[in-house]
Amino acid sequence: MFGILKKMFEKKPPAKERLPFYDIICPYCFAKFHHEDVVFRAAHYRDDDETLALQEDEKLNQYRAKFGLAPIDLEAVIEPAMIPDENKIYSDRVLMGVSDKYSVVTKTRLCPECHNELPVTAGKYPSNIVSIVGATSVGKSVYMTSLIHTLQHVTANNFHAACIPLDNEISRRFRQEYEVPLFENGSLLDSTARTRRQEPFIFQFVFKDEDQAPLTLVFFDVAGEGMTDKDYIQLHAAHIKNSSGILFLVDPMQIRSIREKLIHQLGENPGKIVGMADEPREVVISLFGDFIAHLDTNKTNIPTAVILTKSDLLNALKSEEGEYIRTNSNIFQHVTHQGYLNLDEFNNINGEVRRFLAKVDVPFVNALDVYFRDTSYFAVSALGSNPVDQQISGIISPIRVDEPFIWLLYKLGYIEGRHTH
């Protein structure tokens, strides 16, 4: 009887019909196109045939120039329109390869807009992309590092999956520039310079169940100032617009009504706390002006996790009376979701963080309600404690850092949600 009742209270996302193929969203430039529109990188080159000689790839080099990367020469690009239909190779009705005029097969598919190589799953599964946004100094780089580290070492195992970099270069860059400095050396990452545009970090959350689609994680380590600069945000507009989920980071120090209280409580050596960031509402307005205003309903349906970062700072505001936060708040209690989203834990944190933000920054919450149709609220600490003099003392112990991502897995139909009480 208990088992029957328990199943009645389990909440599963609606089953999505599996289509024969899907539009592809490039995880590099975020262009959206049909799978028949891909182009291919030749599998060989010939000095005696200029159409297949090593050559400059203009589109790829234009993309690389955006990130300060040098131009390179590569094998030729093959347009499928120039290939007879009998020389095209399909798998599950998706164009996956071509055989050139020398009968050499290539299955290296490229985005038609930027000529970067596409994931092997592109077109066979939905191109679900997750983006991180927030103003400067909210800790996007640190959160990204802590989240990917947690996904690889904890979350993936809890959901019978693996979190894998898209290629070796991304793996190397993430390890050397982010994971090793933070998790092995305990050094806080420098704020991303606005002029330092980096290629996106692309990971795939791949389930061991082969029938389950992978989720592509695309993290642009965008300088925060750019999120309120019209020209700069347009560079990443397609990224946000074509996302399937948004992680919207908010630093408590952005909120004017509690900033002075936090500084006063934290004493003379509060660590790296920057209170000059754009207020959260200004980032919402930037997003609205850039793409939400162009939607038919002036409202986006993209599930958006509103994440209060550096939650360990809020210890300075807790009290028995709970003017802002109660001593026994869920915010400070780490939770592990395993196999499903625990809806009781989710509802508790969602309600508490929304109430807190509505109390200290009601214009921000109202702006989210107006422009976003599907929001939930979370609190995370990427490190578990506040750094002092750019260094983290002791072991890094993230608090609830993967919970917003797990909620997005639930919203996108990858996992189920259950009530446990």
Side-chain angles (χ1 to χ4, degrees):
M1 182 67 179
F2 175 75
I4 295 173
L5 287 172
K6 185 177 180 182
K7 284 192 176 293
M8 288 175 62
F9 286 99
E10 288 182 6
K11 186 175 181 182
K12 294 185 179 181
K16 295 184 178 180
E17 180 186 359
R18 177 74 191 276
L19 302 177
F21 53 80
Y22 296 84
D23 282 344
I24 297 171
I25 298 173
C26 173
Y28 292 91
C29 73
F30 314 107
K32 188 174 183 179
F33 48 90
H34 191 274
H35 74 91
E36 295 271 11
D37 294 330
V38 302
V39 295
F40 291 85
R41 179 77 62 200
H44 66 128
Y45 66 93
R46 295 178 66 104
D47 294 331
D48 60 344
D49 185 339
E50 64 177 21
T51 64
L52 282 173
L54 287 179
Q55 54 197 263
E56 179 184 351
D57 187 329
E58 188 175 337
K59 286 190 176 182
L60 179 62
N61 286 333
Q62 284 176 352
Y63 170 85
R64 290 173 58 84
K66 291 180 182 179
F67 302 99
L69 300 172
I72 54 176
D73 289 342
L74 289 169
E75 291 82 4
V77 171
I78 299 174
E79 301 277 349
M82 308 301 291
I83 300 291
D85 287 346
E86 60 267 24
N87 288 356
K88 294 178 180 178
I89 301 166
Y90 290 81
S91 172
D92 296 331
R93 296 170 63 181
V94 175
L95 179 60
M96 297 296 290
V98 293
S99 176
D100 66 23
K101 60 184 177 181
Y102 296 99
S103 299
V104 176
V105 171
T106 174
K107 294 186 178 180
T108 303
R109 296 182 299 162
L110 310 177
C111 167
E113 298 298 325
C114 70
H115 287 186
N116 276 291
E117 186 173 348
L118 296 168
V120 68
T121 55
K124 291 188 174 184
Y125 296 99
S127 295
N128 286 328
I129 289 175
V130 172
S131 62
I132 296 179
V133 299
T136 186
S137 301
V138 300
K140 291 189 298 298
S141 302
V142 174
Y143 176 70
M144 178 195 73
T145 306
S146 184
L147 174 61
I148 294 176
H149 181 87
T150 302
L151 293 181
Q152 290 182 331
H153 292 273
V154 180
T155 317
N157 194 53
N158 287 339
F159 287 89
H160 304 294
C163 185
I164 304 169
L166 194 61
D167 59 38
N168 289 331
E169 173 60 22
I170 289 171
S171 179
R172 181 202 60 78
R173 193 157 50 97
F174 176 70
R175 280 282 298 158
Q176 291 183 2
E177 299 180 19
Y178 290 80
E179 191 172 36
V180 169
L182 190 64
F183 278 87
E184 296 184 16
N185 302 336
S187 300
L188 203 64
L189 305 170
D190 292 331
S191 294
T192 306
R194 183 175 169 191
T195 55
R196 184 180 165 220
R197 296 175 178 173
Q198 293 195 36
E199 285 189 284
F201 288 95
I202 306 172
F203 292 77
Q204 286 200 309
F205 199 77
V206 183
F207 292 88
K208 294 178 183 178
D209 178 357
E210 294 180 3
D211 293 330
Q212 177 68 282
L215 175 63
T216 301
L217 311 175
V218 180
F219 295 124
F220 246 123
D221 191 6
V222 184
E225 301 94 299
M227 295 311 299
T228 53
D229 181 306
K230 188 172 183 181
D231 291 335
Y232 193 79
I233 196 175
Q234 283 180 349
L235 177 68
H236 306 285
H239 172 217
I240 299 168
K241 178 181 177 181
N242 286 323
S243 293
S244 299
I246 294 173
L247 301 172
F248 191 128
L249 306 190
V250 181
D251 185 342
M253 296 302 293
Q254 285 180 271
I255 303 170
R256 189 174 301 167
S257 64
I258 60 170
R259 187 183 305 152
E260 290 185 8
K261 290 184 174 65
L262 286 171
I263 293 174
H264 176 73
Q265 291 289 335
L266 291 166
E268 295 180 358
N269 192 9
K272 184 180 180 184
I273 297 176
V274 181
M276 301 304 291
D278 295 294
E279 292 200 13
R281 182 178 59 163
E282 293 168 355
V283 182
V284 174
I285 291 170
S286 294
L287 290 172
F288 175 76
D290 186 64
F291 81 93
I292 299 174
H294 302 295
L295 301 174
D296 292 339
T297 60
N298 285 349
K299 212 166 192 174
T300 179
N301 291 319
I302 301 172
T304 301
V306 183
I307 305 169
L308 199 59
T309 64
K310 307 176 187 176
S311 62
D312 51 277
L313 295 182
L314 300 179
N315 276 292
L317 298 178
K318 68 184 182 183
S319 64
E320 293 293 340
E321 299 78 26
E323 178 187 1
Y324 292 104
I325 294 173
R326 291 192 176 276
T327 306
N328 63 348
S329 167
N330 295 292
I331 287 173
F332 310 115
Q333 309 301 317
H334 181 64
V335 170
T336 299
H337 299 266
Q338 188 163 0
Y340 58 89
L341 175 69
N342 185 319
L343 293 174
D344 298 311
E345 294 289 354
F346 159 68
N347 289 333
N348 286 339
I349 196 72
N350 176 38
E352 184 173 0
V353 176
R354 181 185 168 90
R355 286 190 296 272
F356 171 74
L357 286 173
K359 186 167 190 174
V360 299
D361 195 351
V362 71
F364 171 54
V365 174
N366 286 342
L368 287 170
D369 288 344
V370 167
Y371 296 144
F372 293 79
R373 201 179 301 278
D374 191 358
T375 55
S376 287
Y377 293 80
F378 302 87
V380 306
S381 174
L383 305 175
S385 60
N386 188 38
V388 176
D389 297 328
Q390 297 291 94
Q391 288 294 127
I392 302 107
S393 58
I395 298 172
I396 294 176
S397 302
I399 300 172
R400 307 185 84 129
V401 75
D402 62 348
E403 192 169 41
F405 172 80
I406 292 170
W407 175 74
L408 287 178
L409 285 181
Y410 166 69
K411 293 299 296 184
L412 296 173
Y414 285 88
I415 63 172
E416 66 182 16
R418 297 182 191 172
H419 291 284
T420 58
H421 300 302

